[in-house]
């Protein structure tokens, strides 16, 4: 059977996961108990309505496929607004998106097995003849190895799989003699030169005619590839080997997977987004389940299903455990850093992660699949389509939608696993939205902006390969399909490969590199896929009970249980505890929290979280009060974000040999001298003793009249400021104690007060991450006396040895001669993105560690006893083991971070990436700057629209 209905390991034990609890995200999650349900359970859909919707899907496919064949074929794709084909080189370049086009009639090949699934066997036979007659795989064009594999090689193999099935049935394809397989083999050999690297990871691109590195090839100079690009080959390449007996394809794909496994980050068991194909070094060290990594995880599990190799399942389970520990925060899935997995790398999610609930169904982990799918559906109901990226409070981050099928895929798998007619209604909504908003006379057009409904002149091949296949299967009964879909597994492009390949040509030498694991929960290996007879034998409302708390996650419009509250007042009961009144040191408040099912958890990294489990509440009424309390925490945080917004500041090194050319982006403080209203502070720097600044300084003579350097941790920021001010310092720079942290990969935040009156603090205070702070510390070690300027923006602009330094480090506008002259409009646009980001605040109970989530605020408490000094409480999105949790105010005086959200846009983001030529340096400070610049460039790449 395929993952459509069970797959290898069915009948296995169902996981017993922790009860669902409130997700502490920036968005206000309006949660409702079963006593105040917002929507009724979906009624069963009649056979007639399912057939009607299935026929509607068939008509939609005919509209898309027919217009492609009429207006675009033999071009790769249809341009539905202008009713013509998209031919590589004849249209303006779209960058990496065009790497999928190889002048090989991409849409036709990608649609082959869809025709059979939709019972269009005659059209399939005609399409195969056209492919054999017209398609040329020897074109002088550079294509993506990844896209060519999953779309073209996968399309040919899927077509071959169903062609031999039809031939065996005796009615169609009687003339077929493995011609598609021979084309697939030809294409496979054309892709093999891409694997000519020391690591075994393939080059990201290859010339179909000239291969790699030849002058005519115009490729082969790349050094990096994405993890999914190198890790999404095993199904197609292994199938090609099993079909043909040529083992080389499976061997090469296995070697690439083995290398990625060996290069995983051993402490977190996560992989990064981008890797150097020669050295194996991670280039982008953020990790998630969306763009750049997604199908790597998918293929590990499906390789186990198709090939029967236990090592693939073991690797997947190891990665999956890490995903659920660090990335999963149901219903959210947030990217983290592989070396510091408690530190979130983004405040937004991309649409490609919508496949993950479907993969969780195959895994057998149904609850988080339902939760994430429901969250995504709420976003779709708000915007009609899933934006390419959206923030954790469900605002549009990237507004495009190229008709991606991943959400439809997960909808299909959840329906197969649960049998819940709710998912049929979800599919019906998808059909209606496609016809209402995306349908045009010549096909279906991608959405340029989901907010305005504007179109883009593109209809990608995956729309026909996947969307219509999953939607048709969602509404089809078994008798509606001419073959048993359970005998096949879907590739990431939804191409069908027969499961009998697992017993064919199994002479591939396998190296088991799955030997080192961190200690895992043993139950994680006891289940692999869902078994509906075990999952839902006695509770038809199971899936609904998981969805209900998320029904209003986006629009926040659930009832608040006013009647029950009024009744409690009439009965003389105490009113529920309000978030604004909560004091963490008040024993009575803590007891009320416990009664509401809310508990305080002190994490190892110093953070303190509020976690709510409704099942642990004393009663259903108390549980509802707990949910309302958590909701108020979120609203309180949102209010604080609006009230306290400060721009970033600058720390400028002005002494020899820097002379103002090095500018470090710093986080401001909500107390002390406001550098935007007063003249900048200039002075030499000196380290305080003790370095944490949490007690009276023992070296006041060293910091007198200077700017004191102090380390984050042990106490609140305001306390540090008072101690250095009492010692005579004229300013303070707090340096993060989390080694390796940097503003190029973590959001800046503002240091908040301690909840007391901070008017007594008169000196300016700024915050630097560890990497930026080390530049100053290294300068002190080398030059002894280092003078800096603390200001609201850089005053000097310079050129270093005639070479422009990136604006992230050095403001390079020599025309700005007067340091007090205000910036012009154009000048301000040229400032670094980090210096222009708006500030937002979320409050948590963070201890002395670095921010672990882009949406949390930060502060440094010395002990739980300091909690009452926090200015406010609010939730954070930080992951808390396997529970959804709420992080309340931080104890460093809460720090609020810089919101890294870019302005919502419908076009691909522009990226300023100055070309910097660094000469050989012998001074350590220069090597630090060069290293920092490389990381910044990597961060710029991370912010590009890679989708």
């Amino acid at each position: 059977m395929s993952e459509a209905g069970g797959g290898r390991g069915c009948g296995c034990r169902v996981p017993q996961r922790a009860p669902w609890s409130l997700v502490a995200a920036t968005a206000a999650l309006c949660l409702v108990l079963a006593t105040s349900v917002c929507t009724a359970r979906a009624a069963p859909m009649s056979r007639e309505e399912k057939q009607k919707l299935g026929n509607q899907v068939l008509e939609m496919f005919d509209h898309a496929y027919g217009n492609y064949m009429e207006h675009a074929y033999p071009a790769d794709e249809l341009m539905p607004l202008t009713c013509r084909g998209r031919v590589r080189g004849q249209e303006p370049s779209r960058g990496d998106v065009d790497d999928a086009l190889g002048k090989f009639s991409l849409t036709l090949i990608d649609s082959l097995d869809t025709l059979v699934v939709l019972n269009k066997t005659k059209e399939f036979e005609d399409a195969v003849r056209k492919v054999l007659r017209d398609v040329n795989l020897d074109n002088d064009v550079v294509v993506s190895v990844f896209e060519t594999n999953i779309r073209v090689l996968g399309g040919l193999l899927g077509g071959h799989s169903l062609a031999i099935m039809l031939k065996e049935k005796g009615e169609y394809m009687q003339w077929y003699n493995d011609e598609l397989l021979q084309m697939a083999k030809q294409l496979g050999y054309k892709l093999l030169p891409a694997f000519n690297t020391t690591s075994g990871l393939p080059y990201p691109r290859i010339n179909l005619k000239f291969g790699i590195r030849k002058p005519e090839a115009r490729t082969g100079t790349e050094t990096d590839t994405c993890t999914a690009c190198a890790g999404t080959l095993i199904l197609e390449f292994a199938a090609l080997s099993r079909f043909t007996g040529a083992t080389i394809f499976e061997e090469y794909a296995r070697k690439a997977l083995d290398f990625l496994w060996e290069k995983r980050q051993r402490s977190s068991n996560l992989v990064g987004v981008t890797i150097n194909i020669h050295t194996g070094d991670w280039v982008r060290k953020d990790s998630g389940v969306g763009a750049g990594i997604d199908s790597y995880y998918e293929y590990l599990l499906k390789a186990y299903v198709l090939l029967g190799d236990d090592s693939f399942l073991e690797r997947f389970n190891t990665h999956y455990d890490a995903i659920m520990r660090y990335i999963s925060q149901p219903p959210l899935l947030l990217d983290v850093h592989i070396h510091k997995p408690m530190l979130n790398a983004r405040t937004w999610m991309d649409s490609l992660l919508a496949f993950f609930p479907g993969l969780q169904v195959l895994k057998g982990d149904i609850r988080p699949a339902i939760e994430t799918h429901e969250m995504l559906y709420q976003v779709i109901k708000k915007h009609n389509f899933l934006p390419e990226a959206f923030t954790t409070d469900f605002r549009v981050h990237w507004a495009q939608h190229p008709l991606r099928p991943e959400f439809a895929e997960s909808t299909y798998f959840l329906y197969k696993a649960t049998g819940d007619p709710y998912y049929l209604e979800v599919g019906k909504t998808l059909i209606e939205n496609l016809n209402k908003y995306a349908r045009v006379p010549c096909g279906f057009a991608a959405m340029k902006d989901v907010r305005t409904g504007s179109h883009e002149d593109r209809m990608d091949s995956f729309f026909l390969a996947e969307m219509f296949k999953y939607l048709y299967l969602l509404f089809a009964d078994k008798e509606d399909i001419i073959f048993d879909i359970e005998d096949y597994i879907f590739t990431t492009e939804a191409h069908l490969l027969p499961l009998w390949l697992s017993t064919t040509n199994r002479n591939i030498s396998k190296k088991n590199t799955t030997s080192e694991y961190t200690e895992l929960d043993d139950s994680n290996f006891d289940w692999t896929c869902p078994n509906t007879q075990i999952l839902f034998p006695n509770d038809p409302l199971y899936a609904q009970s998981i969805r209900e708390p998320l029904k209003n996650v986006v629009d926040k419009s659930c009832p608040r249980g006013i009647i029950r509250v009024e009744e409690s007042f009439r009965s003389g009961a105490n009113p529920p505890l309000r978030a604004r009144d909560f004091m963490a040191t008040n024993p009575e408040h803590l007891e009320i929290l416990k009664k509401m099912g809310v508990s305080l958890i002190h994490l190892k990294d110093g953070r303190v979280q509020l976690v709510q489990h409704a099942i642990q509440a004393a009663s259903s009424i108390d549980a509802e009060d707990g949910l309302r309390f958590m909701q108020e925490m979120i609203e309180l945080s949102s209010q604080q974000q609006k009230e306290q917004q400060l721009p970033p500041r600058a720390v400028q090194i002005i002494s020899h040999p820097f002379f103002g050319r090095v500018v470090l982006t710093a986080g401001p403080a909500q107390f002390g001298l406001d550098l935007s209203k007063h003249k900048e502070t200039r002075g030499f720097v000196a380290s305080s003793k003790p370095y944490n600044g949490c007690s009276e300084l023992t070296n006041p003579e060293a910091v007198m009249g200077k700017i004191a350097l102090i380390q984050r941790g042990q106490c609140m920021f305001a306390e540090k400021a008072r101690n250095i001010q009492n010692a005579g310092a004229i300013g303070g720079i707090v340096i993060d104690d989390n080694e390796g942290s940097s503003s190029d990969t973590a959001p800046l935040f503002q240091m908040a007060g301690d909840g007391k009156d901070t008017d007594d603090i008169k000196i300016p205070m700024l915050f630097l991450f560890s990497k930026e702070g080390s530049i100053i510390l290294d300068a002190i070690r080398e030059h002894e006396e280092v003078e800096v300027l603390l200001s609201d923006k850089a005053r000097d602009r310079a050129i270093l040895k005639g070479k422009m330094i990136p604006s992230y480090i050095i403001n390079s506008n020599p025309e700005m001669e007067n340091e007090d002259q205000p910036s012009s409009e154009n000048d301000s646009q040229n400032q670094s993105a980090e210096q222009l980001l708006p500030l937002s605040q979320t409050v948590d109970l963070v201890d002395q560690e670095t921010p672990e989530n882009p949406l949390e605020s930060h502060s440094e408490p010395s002990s739980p006893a300091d909690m009452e000094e926090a200015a406010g409480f609010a939730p954070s999105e930080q992951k808390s083991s396997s529970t959804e949790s709420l992080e309340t105010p931080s104890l460093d005086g809460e720090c609020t971070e810089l919101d890294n959200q870019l302005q919502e846009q419908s076009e691909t983001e522009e990226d300023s990436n100055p070309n910097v030529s660094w000469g050989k340096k012998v001074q350590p400070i220069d090597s630090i700057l060069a290293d920092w610049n490389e990381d910044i460039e990597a961060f710029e790449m991370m912010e590009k629209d890679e989708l």
Side-chain angles (χ1 to χ4, degrees):
M1 288 182 291
S2 75
E3 71 270 35
R8 186 179 305 275
C10 281
C12 40
R13 183 167 64 85
V14 179
Q16 299 297 320
R17 299 182 60 84
W20 191 88
S21 58
L22 177 67
V23 178
T26 314
L29 303 185
C30 184
L31 300 168
V32 184
L33 298 177
T35 55
S36 58
V37 175
C38 295
T39 58
R41 181 173 183 260
M45 185 176 287
S46 66
R47 165 75 172 163
E48 291 73 22
E49 186 174 2
K50 288 175 64 178
Q51 286 183 332
K52 179 181 177 181
L53 290 169
N55 291 334
Q56 196 170 356
V57 174
L58 294 176
E59 185 278 330
M60 294 166 66
F61 175 82
D62 289 340
H63 179 67
Y65 180 76
N67 275 285
Y68 165 75
M69 296 304 296
E70 179 180 354
H71 299 291
Y73 182 78
D76 284 316
E77 290 179 344
L78 169 69
M79 301 173 67
L81 299 183
T82 52
C83 298
R84 56 195 173 98
R86 182 181 297 279
V87 180
R88 187 95 173 259
Q90 295 183 14
E91 303 293 336
S93 173
R94 300 176 298 170
D96 293 346
V97 177
D98 284 338
D99 287 343
L101 311 180
K103 300 182 180 178
F104 34 38
S105 301
L106 175 62
T107 298
L108 180 62
I109 293 177
D110 223 0
S111 305
L112 287 177
D113 52 6
T114 303
L115 290 165
V116 182
V117 172
L118 272 56
N119 201 11
K120 296 180 178 294
T121 49
K122 184 179 184 302
E123 290 88 340
F124 171 73
E125 191 160 0
D126 292 340
V128 173
R129 293 184 184 277
K130 285 184 172 66
V131 170
L132 300 180
R133 182 191 68 201
D134 300 335
V135 172
N136 177 22
L137 298 175
D138 196 41
N139 300 312
D140 180 14
V141 59
V142 176
V143 296
S144 163
V145 173
F146 167 75
E147 297 290 355
T148 304
N149 172 66
I150 66 171
R151 299 202 207 186
V152 185
L153 183 58
L156 292 172
L157 291 172
H160 170 71
S161 300
L162 298 188
I164 59 178
M165 178 274 297
L166 290 173
K167 185 177 181 179
E168 290 175 358
K169 287 182 176 291
E171 183 176 357
Y172 294 96
M173 304 299 293
Q174 297 305 300
W175 55 269
Y176 182 71
N177 192 29
D178 295 350
E179 289 86 351
L180 291 177
L181 180 59
Q182 295 308 312
M183 290 185 67
K185 187 176 181 180
Q186 176 192 358
L187 179 59
Y189 279 118
K190 285 184 171 294
L191 295 179
L192 284 184
F195 293 83
N196 187 22
T197 61
T198 55
S199 66
L201 299 179
Y203 282 94
R205 298 174 186 83
I206 194 169
N207 188 298
L208 289 176
K209 188 177 184 66
F210 298 108
I212 295 286
R213 292 185 176 175
K214 296 179 182 178
E216 305 94 331
R218 305 185 304 282
T219 189
T221 59
E222 302 94 338
T223 59
D224 307 331
T225 192
C226 71
T227 299
C229 299
T232 311
L233 300 160
I234 187 64
L235 292 189
E236 292 83 1
F237 272 49
L240 183 57
S241 287
R242 303 296 176 97
F243 273 129
T244 64
T247 62
I248 187 172
F249 303 109
E250 184 171 346
E251 290 171 353
Y252 274 48
R254 280 180 179 269
K255 182 179 179 182
L257 271 182
D258 290 345
F259 190 83
L260 289 173
W261 170 252
E262 289 294 333
K263 290 299 179 180
R264 74 192 185 283
Q265 211 291 320
R266 297 303 178 98
S267 62
S268 67
N269 279 319
L270 295 173
V271 292
V273 173
T274 309
I275 190 171
N276 186 295
I277 59 177
H278 301 297
T279 66
D281 295 332
W282 291 111
V283 178
R284 277 185 50 187
K285 301 174 184 178
D286 47 316
S287 184
V289 296
I293 301 179
D294 49 2
S295 49
Y296 163 69
Y297 295 132
E298 176 186 4
Y299 269 37
L300 283 178
L301 182 55
K302 290 185 176 180
Y304 163 69
V305 175
L306 180 64
L307 306 178
D309 187 339
D310 289 345
S311 68
F312 291 128
L313 177 61
E314 293 169 359
R315 295 181 193 183
F316 173 81
N317 279 332
T318 302
H319 284 313
Y320 187 78
D321 179 80
I323 291 169
M324 300 310 289
R325 286 175 186 267
Y326 305 120
I327 296 171
S328 174
Q329 185 182 347
L332 308 179
L333 293 163
L334 296 174
D335 286 14
V336 300
H337 295 278
I338 60 175
H339 296 287
K340 298 182 183 301
M342 299 299 291
L343 178 63
N344 281 9
R346 288 178 178 172
T347 58
W348 48 270
M349 295 165 281
D350 65 70
S351 62
L352 286 175
L353 61 76
F355 91 101
F356 197 67
L359 187 63
Q360 289 179 306
V361 169
L362 179 58
K363 166 69 177 174
D365 205 359
I366 302 297
R367 178 182 291 272
I370 293 172
E371 291 170 345
T372 298
H373 179 275
E374 182 61 26
M375 177 270 293
L376 295 170
Y377 184 43
Q378 297 302 319
V379 175
I380 289 174
K381 289 203 293 187
K382 180 177 182 179
H383 300 293
N384 300 317
F385 298 98
L386 198 61
E388 279 289 72
F390 55 95
T391 63
T392 50
D393 56 354
F394 309 111
R395 291 182 291 112
V396 173
H397 186 65
W398 295 330
Q400 308 98 312
H401 174 73
L403 307 182
R404 293 199 183 278
E406 285 77 15
F407 180 78
E409 174 186 359
S410 290
T411 302
Y412 165 65
F413 290 142
L414 275 169
Y415 177 67
K416 295 296 290 186
T418 65
D420 191 336
Y422 175 84
Y423 296 108
L424 298 177
E425 297 296 332
V426 173
K428 181 179 179 181
T429 299
L430 297 182
I431 292 174
E432 292 172 348
N433 289 349
L434 285 171
N435 279 320
K436 184 175 182 179
Y437 302 107
R439 187 166 182 144
V440 294
C442 283
F444 290 84
M447 306 305 296
K448 186 175 183 179
D449 192 317
V450 298
R451 297 162 299 187
T452 64
S454 58
H455 289 125
E456 189 175 354
D457 200 6
R458 63 184 287 193
M459 188 179 78
D460 292 82
S461 68
F462 54 68
F463 181 60
L464 285 84
E466 301 183 68
M467 180 69 81
F468 296 114
K469 193 175 294 175
Y470 288 125
L471 287 178
Y472 182 76
L473 289 172
L474 177 64
F475 298 105
D477 290 328
K478 190 170 184 179
E479 57 268 24
D480 296 328
I481 307 171
I482 63 174
F483 64 99
D484 191 352
I485 196 72
E486 307 291 343
D487 291 336
Y488 297 81
I489 188 170
F490 290 100
T491 69
T492 194
E493 191 77 3
H495 293 307
L496 295 169
L497 299 176
L499 290 175
W500 54 257
L501 288 174
S502 62
T503 60
T504 305
N505 294 323
R506 299 186 61 179
N507 56 347
I508 309 297
S509 60
K510 293 176 289 194
K511 171 189 174 184
N512 188 352
T513 58
T514 313
S515 56
E516 297 182 16
Y517 301 98
T518 56
E519 183 177 350
L520 301 177
D521 181 0
D522 291 338
S523 65
N524 193 41
F525 297 91
D526 292 340
W527 39 275
T528 302
C529 63
N531 184 320
T532 55
Q533 293 180 352
I534 296 178
L535 282 173
F536 312 105
N538 302 314
D539 188 4
L541 296 179
Y542 175 82
Q544 181 195 10
S545 67
I546 299 174
R547 288 193 304 267
E548 281 304 332
L550 298 166
K551 285 296 183 184
N552 295 274
V553 67
V554 174
D555 59 21
K556 301 174 288 185
S557 60
C558 267
R560 302 297 298 274
I562 298 175
I563 296 177
R564 193 207 61 74
V565 174
E566 291 177 349
E567 290 177 348
S568 69
F569 283 131
R570 286 197 297 268
S571 64
N574 292 328
L577 177 65
R578 308 306 297 267
R580 64 174 179 266
D581 301 324
F582 174 66
M583 298 276 295
T585 54
N586 187 322
E588 183 180 350
H589 288 182
L590 295 178
E591 187 63 29
I592 294 175
L593 288 189
K594 183 177 179 181
K595 188 177 180 182
M596 295 189 299
V598 180
S599 57
L600 281 172
I601 296 179
H602 297 268
L603 303 180
K604 293 180 180 180
D605 59 10
R607 291 176 300 115
V608 180
Q609 295 179 327
L610 284 177
V611 182
Q612 203 271 349
H613 294 278
I615 196 172
Q616 296 177 1
S619 66
S620 60
I621 292 178
D622 291 314
E624 187 174 353
D625 288 340
L627 295 175
R628 185 180 301 106
F629 175 82
M630 302 292 275
Q631 166 73 13
E632 290 177 354
M633 281 292 186
I634 299 168
E635 294 173 351
L636 181 61
S637 172
S638 177
Q639 180 181 0
Q640 289 173 341
Q641 290 178 8
K642 296 176 182 178
E643 292 176 351
Q644 304 185 43
Q645 291 189 350
L646 296 174
R649 306 299 188 218
V651 175
Q652 196 166 7
I653 306 179
I654 59 178
S655 57
H656 174 81
F658 306 97
F659 300 117
R661 293 172 297 195
V662 174
V663 180
L664 307 175
T665 304
Q670 296 174 358
F671 53 84
L673 183 70
D674 187 349
L675 292 172
S676 66
K677 299 178 180 178
H678 299 82
K679 189 176 180 180
E680 69 275 358
T681 297
R682 176 173 180 168
F684 289 92
V685 295
S687 295
S688 63
K689 293 183 180 180
Y691 190 28
N692 59 32
C694 291
S695 60
E696 182 179 351
L697 267 58
T698 59
N699 63 335
E701 68 287 346
V703 300
M704 175 74 70
K706 296 183 180 180
I707 296 173
L709 301 179
I710 45 183
Q711 187 180 47
R712 185 184 182 191
Q714 307 299 318
C715 63
M716 294 188 175
F717 292 120
E719 184 177 350
K720 299 176 188 290
R722 291 188 180 98
N723 287 332
I724 63 173
Q725 178 176 272
N726 292 339
I730 61 174
I733 298 175
V734 179
I735 298 176
D736 194 11
D737 62 341
N738 193 340
E739 185 177 356
S741 64
S742 174
S743 63
D744 56 3
T745 56
L748 285 171
F749 55 79
Q750 52 183 322
M751 298 180 289
D754 54 6
K756 302 177 181 178
D757 186 358
T758 55
D759 290 344
D760 59 313
I761 302 175
K762 306 298 183 182
I763 62 175
M765 295 289 294
L766 297 181
F767 178 89
L768 290 178
F769 281 109
S770 171
K771 202 164 187 180
E772 289 87 335
S774 66
I775 294 178
I776 294 181
L777 296 175
D778 217 52
I780 294 175
R781 284 190 289 268
E782 187 161 351
H783 304 289
E784 294 185 0
E785 290 195 344
V786 175
E787 189 177 13
V788 301
L789 187 73
L790 310 184
S791 60
D792 60 337
K793 60 182 178 180
R795 301 303 182 189
D796 295 330
R797 306 189 179 240
I799 303 291
L800 179 59
K801 297 183 179 179
K803 298 177 181 178
M804 291 188 66
I805 304 303
S807 59
Y808 297 94
I809 305 174
I810 296 174
N811 293 303
S812 52
N813 186 353
E815 299 176 2
M816 197 72 173
E817 297 178 357
N818 186 347
E819 64 180 26
D820 295 322
Q821 180 180 346
S823 302
S824 67
E825 180 178 354
N826 292 335
D827 191 40
S828 65
Q829 293 174 352
N830 291 329
Q831 294 183 34
S832 79
E834 290 178 299
Q835 294 176 349
L836 294 177
L837 289 175
L839 273 169
S840 68
Q841 171 175 318
T842 355
V843 190
D844 58 4
L845 284 174
V846 178
D847 200 0
Q848 62 262 26
E849 291 298 323
T850 312
E852 306 232 335
N853 188 302
L855 292 180
E856 34 180 69
S857 66
H858 303 264
S859 56
E860 299 175 301
S862 58
S863 69
D866 293 326
M867 291 183 187
E868 78 276 13
E869 296 179 0
F873 287 76
S876 153
E877 291 184 338
Q878 191 47 51
K879 177 78 179 88
S880 170
S881 66
S882 64
T883 65
E884 293 91 351
S885 61
L886 176 68
E887 295 184 7
T888 49
S890 136
L891 293 190
D892 214 286
E894 314 97 350
C895 305
T896 56
E897 55 177 314
L898 279 174
D899 186 354
N900 272 352
Q901 325 258 1
L902 301 178
Q903 182 179 2
E904 295 171 8
Q905 51 194 324
S906 61
E907 300 290 353
T908 302
E909 297 179 340
E910 296 181 0
D911 180 76
S912 63
N913 186 10
N915 295 321
V916 184
S917 175
W918 295 87
K920 292 185 178 180
K921 308 291 183 181
V922 296
Q923 295 178 326
I925 186 64
D926 292 317
S927 64
I928 290 176
L929 289 173
D931 178 59
W932 192 31
N933 184 54
E934 291 174 1
D935 287 348
I936 287 171
E937 291 176 353
F939 182 62
E940 288 177 336
M941 294 173 60
M942 186 171 78
E943 286 296 333
K944 285 184 179 179
D945 183 355
E946 299 176 1
L947 305 179

